[in-house]
Amino acid sequence: MRRTSRPHSLTAAPPRPGNLPHELNRFVGRSAELAAFDCALSATRLVTVTGSGGVGKSRLVAHALARTAADAAPADGVWRVELAPVRREELVEHAVVEALGLTDHTPRPPRQVLVDHLAERRLLLVVDGFEHLVDACAALLRDLLRAAPGLRVVAVGRRPLALEGERLFPLAPLTAADAVELFADRAAALLPGFDLDDGCRDDVLEVCRRLDCLPLSVELAAGRLRALSPRRLLERLDDRFRLLTGGGRDALPRHQTLRTTIGWSHELCTPAERLLWARLSVFCGPFDLEAAEYVCSGEDLPADTVLDTLDELLAQSVVAREETPAGVRYRMLDTVRAYGAEWLAGIGDQGRMQSRHRDWYLGMATWCELEWFSPRQSAVAARVEAELPNLRAALEFCLTEPGQTHLGQYLAGTLWFYWSGCGRLSEGRHWLDRSIALDRGDADGDEEAGHGEAGGQGEHGGARLKALWVLGYVAILQGDTVPALAALQECHDAAERGGDATALAYAVHRTGCLALVTDDLPRAERLLRDALVRYREIGELNSNVLMGQVELAMTVAFRGDLAQAAALCEDVRQVCEDHGERWTLAYALYVLAYADWAEGRLARARALLERCLAIDHEFHDLLGTVLAVELLALVTVAEGDAAEAAVLQGAAARIWPSVGLPLFGSAHYNAPHALCEAKAREALGDARFEELTRAGERLGHDEAVSRALRNANPPPPRPRAVGRRRAETQVVLHPLSAEGDPGTGGQRA
């Protein structure tokens, strides 16, 4: 029997199981979230579902509880109170009373009415849209939960209530697959016969991705199909706030357009929170606290207040917090970021914020280049990977703003270790080509006069020279020899005219490397030895210098002097171990393994190559990886397993197109490959060899590495796009401005 309290003064509305609204269209996706929500609700009496505007918090809760109501609803029902229309804190209690259908004619305050009514009931209360009334709502729910042991509460809002016993349930956007399904479902309701298979699936996927897979944004976008095709819709998304308007007549006012949805959160922010929101929009992708403090602080927002202000934006789901293997990072959804960017432009502060953002990432890149030659090499690689979206934004700013080309050249050149060592040759080539091309016309004119940046004597000539030798290096690794030679020759001539010994040493070194991969071994040896002498004279010691010694070792090995090659690489190995350097070490191990294979020491060669491959795989160094796999195939066929050697050659063939010209088109680099193929074909026959090679080509990258390591568990590749720990955030800011000269040098011992 249903129990009531104080029947003499309180009458309830006619008995009913609750007031949850019925769903009018199909609920899409979220199966994992629904299961997790059910578990959370069964484990605690207060669950607060948080998330950004439009992420689908209310709909998920309504759907989850509708299922509960159909199966095992609380005895006294599931009741929902919508607080968005309530503007004053003292009216919160009245809104709950009204939602429960209660009337009371006594002088008791409404809170007491609620306590008395709920005291002995088993009831689930949904409080939706409380974020603008959080203090009053939290105080009321605390009292009700204490007084009514049979009460459970689901709070739905953009921030926590911060109550004891509260279990947070942060809701993320949809997966891409669920977002596409939602778009298709709403589009089909609007346009009968709409089908994703009509050649528009890719456009719809990109629309959903550009809208952060926010359910509200996706539904509003689908509503535009009355007038626009998916392709036209995609083209107009740059002005998403103007495009995505409408929504159903029964939608809450704050949900009828994307702008008002985000604006609802903006209205709830203090002036300091709004200012930080606007300034944070300058970041692309994840950022850390130190970056936010540097970039966003000022007289109107002191650095020591940024943390507390950021914490409030986190609480309101404007900013999301991410736990990564390397520590905590923050990000804003693109839609939220775009809203902040409009405000930043409106207050006229966009250029200054972009300049501060650029300075931070120039300083970070400088620090990372220095730290690359250290035991922190893996952490540096992971950090640059995590910061890549922001580094791209800084590069783009430098290369599009007048007077900043030299800063773009410096930044693109400073990241040489990332382009060459972490599988980003193509992207590095893009930025380097752009930065050099921007002032090439001016530089050519200056060359004729014998002065200016091209001569290395201009105010910012050092940045250009650094970009030139790095461009040459990246082009060499891609097997693109003509542009490589042009860049290195330009760097050499300009550095020689300007007396820049550092840039000249790098130009000589990389020209020697080019001679090596184009089979001009005598010239390669002469230039590489010359470069190493120059490095010693200027006191240069870093991964580049050690790589020059490895390249010299490979040159003399190809010329038949395996003993000298091994001695050179043993010296490199010792220096690497002394300094904690591992990237160059992998290449030294490769040369040592080559020498051991040539001398018939197969077990030792395999052990060296397995260590080499593990390091290359960790750094995502595709060139090092594919060279190691090629040589492992040769060792494998020498060990008598021709079938496995054929599989490994196939795996290498699949990787090469992601690097550049296979084996640089070099007869010397190709010799082990050709020998392996000849031996394997002889043992297997052409048909079987081709069959096994095709099997190798079907292996994914990680599978190929695992196979090369004899199906052992290879060390996992360094996670892409991760953050870093607080202990690793002591960034030495490079004191750069648009007027500064970043220079050219590498790391010096």
Side-chain angles (χ1 to χ4, degrees), residues 30-42 60 64 67 169:
R30 301 278 198 199
S31 57
E33 290 95 329
L34 288 167
F37 177 80
D38 290 344
C39 291
L41 193 59
S42 65
L60 174 110
R67 296 186 312 161
F169 191 89

Side-chain angles (χ1 to χ4, degrees), residues 120-451:
E120 298 182 5
R121 282 181 164 78
R122 297 182 60 81
L123 182 145
L124 197 154
L125 181 65
V126 179
V127 181
D128 200 344
F130 65 83
E131 50 272 323
H132 59 305
L133 304 164
V134 63
D135 291 337
C137 189
L140 173 62
L141 292 178
R142 181 189 59 229
D143 290 350
L144 295 182
L145 287 166
R146 286 175 176 173
L151 174 67
R152 287 185 294 158
V153 175
V154 175
V156 183
R158 305 186 190 188
R159 61 176 301 152
L161 288 163
L163 289 176
E164 184 179 356
E166 177 182 32
R167 180 161 178 171
L168 295 181
F169 191 89
L171 190 63
L174 293 169
T175 64
D178 283 349
V180 169
E181 184 181 353
L182 176 63
F183 185 101
D185 182 83
R186 301 305 188 252
L190 186 70
L191 301 172
F194 176 84
D195 190 348
L196 283 177
D197 293 332
D198 292 341
C200 65
R201 180 179 295 274
D202 289 345
D203 291 333
V204 170
L205 176 61
E206 183 62 14
V207 166
C208 294
R209 188 193 66 78
R210 291 274 302 279
L211 294 174
D212 300 309
C213 296
L214 280 172
L216 172 64
S217 302
V218 171
E219 294 199 32
L220 291 174
R224 280 297 183 186
L225 292 187
R226 290 187 184 93
L228 300 172
S229 68
R231 173 61 57 85
R232 294 288 292 157
L233 181 65
L234 179 60
E235 292 170 353
R236 289 172 171 258
L237 273 187
D238 285 341
D239 192 4
R240 67 185 73 187
F241 295 117
R242 183 169 63 87
L243 177 67
L244 301 184
T245 60
R249 291 188 177 91
D250 57 343
L252 292 169
R254 71 177 192 271
H255 284 173
Q256 289 175 357
T257 72
L258 184 59
R259 181 183 294 279
T260 53
T261 299
I262 306 301
W264 172 258
S265 291
H266 198 261
E267 290 177 10
L268 300 178
C269 292
T270 66
E273 291 160 9
R274 293 178 187 178
L275 182 60
L276 182 58
W277 180 346
R279 291 180 176 178
L280 288 174
S281 70
V282 78
F283 289 100
C284 296
F287 57 90
D288 60 23
L289 175 61
E290 289 74 19
E293 288 174 331
Y294 176 83
V295 174
C296 300
S297 62
E299 291 184 4
D300 45 0
L301 189 65
D304 58 3
T305 68
V306 169
L307 174 58
D308 290 339
T309 309
L310 178 62
D311 191 57
E312 284 301 311
L313 293 180
L314 285 163
Q316 297 179 62
S317 301
V318 173
V319 176
R321 181 180 186 272
E322 297 180 345
E323 287 282 355
T324 76
V328 175
R329 301 183 71 77
Y330 309 96
R331 73 158 64 236
M332 289 193 293
L333 294 175
D334 284 347
T335 302
V336 176
R337 177 178 170 268
Y339 192 92
E342 285 193 1
W343 275 78
L344 187 63
I347 61 178
D349 205 22
Q350 192 170 34
R352 189 175 71 90
M353 284 296 101
Q354 287 178 315
S355 295
R356 290 179 67 85
H357 177 273
R358 172 208 64 203
D359 288 346
W360 175 265
Y361 287 100
L362 282 168
M364 191 212 80
T366 301
W367 177 84
C368 286
E369 184 187 29
L370 293 168
E371 289 294 285
W372 180 253
F373 189 56
S374 78
R376 292 170 292 282
Q377 204 168 48
S378 293
V380 166
R383 181 175 180 187
V384 175
E385 184 70 37
E387 301 285 10
L388 187 56
N390 284 299
L391 287 164
R392 288 169 176 155
L395 281 161
E396 190 66 35
F397 182 65
C398 291
L399 299 182
T400 54
E401 288 294 305
Q404 296 197 32
T405 299
H406 66 289
L407 293 177
Q409 292 170 343
Y410 170 76
L411 182 52
T414 297
L415 291 171
W416 65 266
F417 62 92
Y418 184 66
W419 311 137
S420 62
C422 301
R424 295 285 187 175
L425 291 174
S426 179
E427 178 162 359
R429 179 73 178 273
H430 165 79
W431 294 113
L432 291 158
D433 275 335
R434 276 187 63 187
S435 70
I436 292 298
L438 279 174
D439 66 358
R440 188 177 293 280
D442 293 339
D444 291 342
D446 287 337
E447 281 186 17
E448 295 177 6
H451 59 79

Side-chain angles (χ1 to χ4, degrees), residues 597 634 637-638 642 645 673-685 689:
W597 161 79
L634 181 57
V637 77
H673 174 91
L675 178 60
C676 177
E677 179 177 344
K679 288 182 174 294
R681 282 185 184 275
E682 182 181 2
L684 299 168
F689 175 82

Side-chain angles (χ1 to χ4, degrees), residues 502 533-542 545 747-749:
T502 301
V533 170
R534 292 174 184 272
Y535 286 142
R536 283 194 293 272
E537 288 175 348
I538 62 176
E540 192 87 348
L541 179 63
N542 54 41
V545 174
Q747 305 91 313
R748 305 205 175 181

